[in-house]
PDB file of all heavy atoms in Angstrom:
ATOM      1  N   PHE B 304      -6.353  23.738  -6.187  1.00  0.00           N
ATOM      2  CA  PHE B 304      -7.133  24.843  -6.767  1.00  0.00           C
ATOM      3  C   PHE B 304      -8.345  25.164  -5.892  1.00  0.00           C
ATOM      4  O   PHE B 304      -8.649  26.321  -5.616  1.00  0.00           O
ATOM      5  CB  PHE B 304      -7.576  24.510  -8.199  1.00  0.00           C
ATOM      6  CG  PHE B 304      -6.532  24.884  -9.210  1.00  0.00           C
ATOM      7  CD1 PHE B 304      -5.647  23.948  -9.707  1.00  0.00           C
ATOM      8  CD2 PHE B 304      -6.411  26.202  -9.644  1.00  0.00           C
ATOM      9  CE1 PHE B 304      -4.664  24.302 -10.629  1.00  0.00           C
ATOM     10  CE2 PHE B 304      -5.431  26.570 -10.557  1.00  0.00           C
ATOM     11  CZ  PHE B 304      -4.557  25.620 -11.050  1.00  0.00           C
ATOM     12  N   LEU B 400       3.325  24.879 -10.698  1.00  0.00           N
ATOM     13  CA  LEU B 400       1.876  25.008 -10.523  1.00  0.00           C
ATOM     14  C   LEU B 400       1.553  26.119  -9.518  1.00  0.00           C
ATOM     15  O   LEU B 400       0.705  26.985  -9.775  1.00  0.00           O
ATOM     16  CB  LEU B 400       1.284  23.675 -10.047  1.00  0.00           C
ATOM     17  CG  LEU B 400      -0.218  23.675  -9.804  1.00  0.00           C
ATOM     18  CD1 LEU B 400      -0.978  23.639 -11.127  1.00  0.00           C
ATOM     19  CD2 LEU B 400      -0.639  22.485  -8.946  1.00  0.00           C
ATOM     20  N   SER B 403       2.287  29.482 -10.930  1.00  0.00           N
ATOM     21  CA  SER B 403       1.257  29.945 -11.878  1.00  0.00           C
ATOM     22  C   SER B 403       0.021  30.439 -11.131  1.00  0.00           C
ATOM     23  O   SER B 403      -0.630  31.388 -11.545  1.00  0.00           O
ATOM     24  CB  SER B 403       0.907  28.841 -12.886  1.00  0.00           C
ATOM     25  OG  SER B 403       0.171  27.812 -12.253  1.00  0.00           O
ATOM     26  N   ILE B 404      -0.291  29.804 -10.010  1.00  0.00           N
ATOM     27  CA  ILE B 404      -1.425  30.249  -9.188  1.00  0.00           C
ATOM     28  C   ILE B 404      -1.128  31.636  -8.599  1.00  0.00           C
ATOM     29  O   ILE B 404      -1.974  32.536  -8.625  1.00  0.00           O
ATOM     30  CB  ILE B 404      -1.735  29.215  -8.073  1.00  0.00           C
ATOM     31  CG1 ILE B 404      -2.330  27.946  -8.691  1.00  0.00           C
ATOM     32  CG2 ILE B 404      -2.658  29.808  -7.014  1.00  0.00           C
ATOM     33  CD1 ILE B 404      -2.526  26.785  -7.732  1.00  0.00           C
ATOM     34  N   ALA B 407      -1.332  34.216 -11.323  1.00  0.00           N
ATOM     35  CA  ALA B 407      -2.731  34.455 -11.695  1.00  0.00           C
ATOM     36  C   ALA B 407      -3.413  35.346 -10.655  1.00  0.00           C
ATOM     37  O   ALA B 407      -4.211  36.218 -10.998  1.00  0.00           O
ATOM     38  CB  ALA B 407      -3.469  33.132 -11.834  1.00  0.00           C
ATOM     39  N   THR B 412      -6.207  36.820 -12.692  1.00  0.00           N
ATOM     40  CA  THR B 412      -6.680  35.818 -13.661  1.00  0.00           C
ATOM     41  C   THR B 412      -6.815  34.418 -13.040  1.00  0.00           C
ATOM     42  O   THR B 412      -6.752  33.407 -13.733  1.00  0.00           O
ATOM     43  CB  THR B 412      -5.715  35.738 -14.867  1.00  0.00           C
ATOM     44  OG1 THR B 412      -4.385  35.467 -14.372  1.00  0.00           O
ATOM     45  CG2 THR B 412      -5.686  37.031 -15.660  1.00  0.00           C
ATOM     46  N   PHE B 413      -6.999  34.368 -11.728  1.00  0.00           N
ATOM     47  CA  PHE B 413      -7.062  33.072 -11.044  1.00  0.00           C
ATOM     48  C   PHE B 413      -8.221  32.207 -11.547  1.00  0.00           C
ATOM     49  O   PHE B 413      -8.061  31.001 -11.758  1.00  0.00           O
ATOM     50  CB  PHE B 413      -7.177  33.277  -9.524  1.00  0.00           C
ATOM     51  CG  PHE B 413      -7.350  31.993  -8.756  1.00  0.00           C
ATOM     52  CD1 PHE B 413      -6.336  31.045  -8.718  1.00  0.00           C
ATOM     53  CD2 PHE B 413      -8.540  31.707  -8.091  1.00  0.00           C
ATOM     54  CE1 PHE B 413      -6.497  29.843  -8.020  1.00  0.00           C
ATOM     55  CE2 PHE B 413      -8.711  30.517  -7.399  1.00  0.00           C
ATOM     56  CZ  PHE B 413      -7.686  29.585  -7.364  1.00  0.00           C
ATOM     57  N   GLN B 414      -9.379  32.838 -11.768  1.00  0.00           N
ATOM     58  CA  GLN B 414     -10.534  32.050 -12.226  1.00  0.00           C
ATOM     59  C   GLN B 414     -10.286  31.441 -13.605  1.00  0.00           C
ATOM     60  O   GLN B 414     -10.682  30.295 -13.862  1.00  0.00           O
ATOM     61  CB  GLN B 414     -11.810  32.901 -12.228  1.00  0.00           C
ATOM     62  CG  GLN B 414     -12.224  33.384 -10.832  1.00  0.00           C
ATOM     63  CD  GLN B 414     -12.397  32.255  -9.818  1.00  0.00           C
ATOM     64  OE1 GLN B 414     -12.779  31.135 -10.157  1.00  0.00           O
ATOM     65  NE2 GLN B 414     -12.097  32.525  -8.554  1.00  0.00           N
ATOM     66  N   GLU B 415      -9.607  32.180 -14.478  1.00  0.00           N
ATOM     67  CA  GLU B 415      -9.273  31.646 -15.813  1.00  0.00           C
ATOM     68  C   GLU B 415      -8.327  30.451 -15.681  1.00  0.00           C
ATOM     69  O   GLU B 415      -8.508  29.428 -16.337  1.00  0.00           O
ATOM     70  CB  GLU B 415      -8.599  32.719 -16.690  1.00  0.00           C
ATOM     71  CG  GLU B 415      -9.544  33.752 -17.261  1.00  0.00           C
ATOM     72  CD  GLU B 415      -9.783  34.930 -16.323  1.00  0.00           C
ATOM     73  OE1 GLU B 415      -9.749  34.735 -15.077  1.00  0.00           O
ATOM     74  OE2 GLU B 415     -10.001  36.042 -16.819  1.00  0.00           O
ATOM     75  N   LEU B 416      -7.329  30.595 -14.811  1.00  0.00           N
ATOM     76  CA  LEU B 416      -6.377  29.494 -14.618  1.00  0.00           C
ATOM     77  C   LEU B 416      -7.093  28.256 -14.069  1.00  0.00           C
ATOM     78  O   LEU B 416      -6.851  27.129 -14.513  1.00  0.00           O
ATOM     79  CB  LEU B 416      -5.253  29.930 -13.662  1.00  0.00           C
ATOM     80  CG  LEU B 416      -4.165  28.880 -13.434  1.00  0.00           C
ATOM     81  CD1 LEU B 416      -3.299  28.725 -14.695  1.00  0.00           C
ATOM     82  CD2 LEU B 416      -3.264  29.248 -12.256  1.00  0.00           C
ATOM     83  N   ARG B 417      -7.974  28.484 -13.137  1.00  0.00           N
ATOM     84  CA  ARG B 417      -8.738  27.393 -12.532  1.00  0.00           C
ATOM     85  C   ARG B 417      -9.524  26.650 -13.609  1.00  0.00           C
ATOM     86  O   ARG B 417      -9.561  25.418 -13.619  1.00  0.00           O
ATOM     87  CB  ARG B 417      -9.684  28.035 -11.516  1.00  0.00           C
ATOM     88  CG  ARG B 417     -10.129  27.154 -10.407  1.00  0.00           C
ATOM     89  CD  ARG B 417     -10.942  28.008  -9.456  1.00  0.00           C
ATOM     90  NE  ARG B 417     -11.788  27.193  -8.614  1.00  0.00           N
ATOM     91  CZ  ARG B 417     -12.785  27.676  -7.898  1.00  0.00           C
ATOM     92  NH1 ARG B 417     -13.047  28.966  -7.910  1.00  0.00           N
ATOM     93  NH2 ARG B 417     -13.507  26.886  -7.151  1.00  0.00           N
ATOM     94  N   LYS B 418     -10.114  27.402 -14.529  1.00  0.00           N
ATOM     95  CA  LYS B 418     -10.892  26.774 -15.596  1.00  0.00           C
ATOM     96  C   LYS B 418      -9.993  26.000 -16.544  1.00  0.00           C
ATOM     97  O   LYS B 418     -10.380  24.972 -17.086  1.00  0.00           O
ATOM     98  CB  LYS B 418     -11.681  27.836 -16.383  1.00  0.00           C
ATOM     99  CG  LYS B 418     -12.906  28.301 -15.631  1.00  0.00           C
ATOM    100  CD  LYS B 418     -13.796  29.179 -16.500  1.00  0.00           C
ATOM    101  CE  LYS B 418     -14.703  30.025 -15.647  1.00  0.00           C
ATOM    102  NZ  LYS B 418     -14.352  31.438 -15.631  1.00  0.00           N
ATOM    103  N   LYS B 419      -8.774  26.519 -16.748  1.00  0.00           N
ATOM    104  CA  LYS B 419      -7.829  25.837 -17.638  1.00  0.00           C
ATOM    105  C   LYS B 419      -7.504  24.430 -17.136  1.00  0.00           C
ATOM    106  O   LYS B 419      -7.203  23.519 -17.904  1.00  0.00           O
ATOM    107  CB  LYS B 419      -6.528  26.653 -17.718  1.00  0.00           C
ATOM    108  CG  LYS B 419      -6.157  27.019 -19.133  1.00  0.00           C
ATOM    109  CD  LYS B 419      -4.991  27.971 -19.180  1.00  0.00           C
ATOM    110  CE  LYS B 419      -3.662  27.256 -19.051  1.00  0.00           C
ATOM    111  NZ  LYS B 419      -2.524  28.192 -19.115  1.00  0.00           N
ATOM    112  N   TRP B 420      -7.550  24.278 -15.801  1.00  0.00           N
ATOM    113  CA  TRP B 420      -7.319  22.958 -15.220  1.00  0.00           C
ATOM    114  C   TRP B 420      -8.629  22.195 -15.092  1.00  0.00           C
ATOM    115  O   TRP B 420      -8.716  21.210 -14.364  1.00  0.00           O
ATOM    116  CB  TRP B 420      -6.599  23.094 -13.875  1.00  0.00           C
ATOM    117  CG  TRP B 420      -5.161  23.496 -14.056  1.00  0.00           C
ATOM    118  CD1 TRP B 420      -4.685  24.764 -14.183  1.00  0.00           C
ATOM    119  CD2 TRP B 420      -4.028  22.631 -14.159  1.00  0.00           C
ATOM    120  NE1 TRP B 420      -3.327  24.749 -14.360  1.00  0.00           N
ATOM    121  CE2 TRP B 420      -2.891  23.440 -14.343  1.00  0.00           C
ATOM    122  CE3 TRP B 420      -3.861  21.243 -14.105  1.00  0.00           C
ATOM    123  CZ2 TRP B 420      -1.609  22.923 -14.490  1.00  0.00           C
ATOM    124  CZ3 TRP B 420      -2.580  20.715 -14.238  1.00  0.00           C
ATOM    125  CH2 TRP B 420      -1.476  21.555 -14.429  1.00  0.00           C
ATOM    126  N   ALA B 421      -9.656  22.726 -15.822  1.00  0.00           N
ATOM    127  CA  ALA B 421     -10.940  22.029 -15.970  1.00  0.00           C
ATOM    128  C   ALA B 421     -11.645  21.746 -14.660  1.00  0.00           C
ATOM    129  O   ALA B 421     -12.078  20.628 -14.406  1.00  0.00           O
ATOM    130  CB  ALA B 421     -10.766  20.756 -16.778  1.00  0.00           C
TER     131      ALA B 421
END
Side-chain angles (χ1 to χ4, degrees):
F304 273 98
L400 179 76
S403 72
I404 290 173
T412 55
F413 176 66
Q414 296 305 328
E415 284 87 329
L416 183 71
R417 205 175 160 194
K418 283 189 201 108
K419 236 172 82 179
W420 288 86

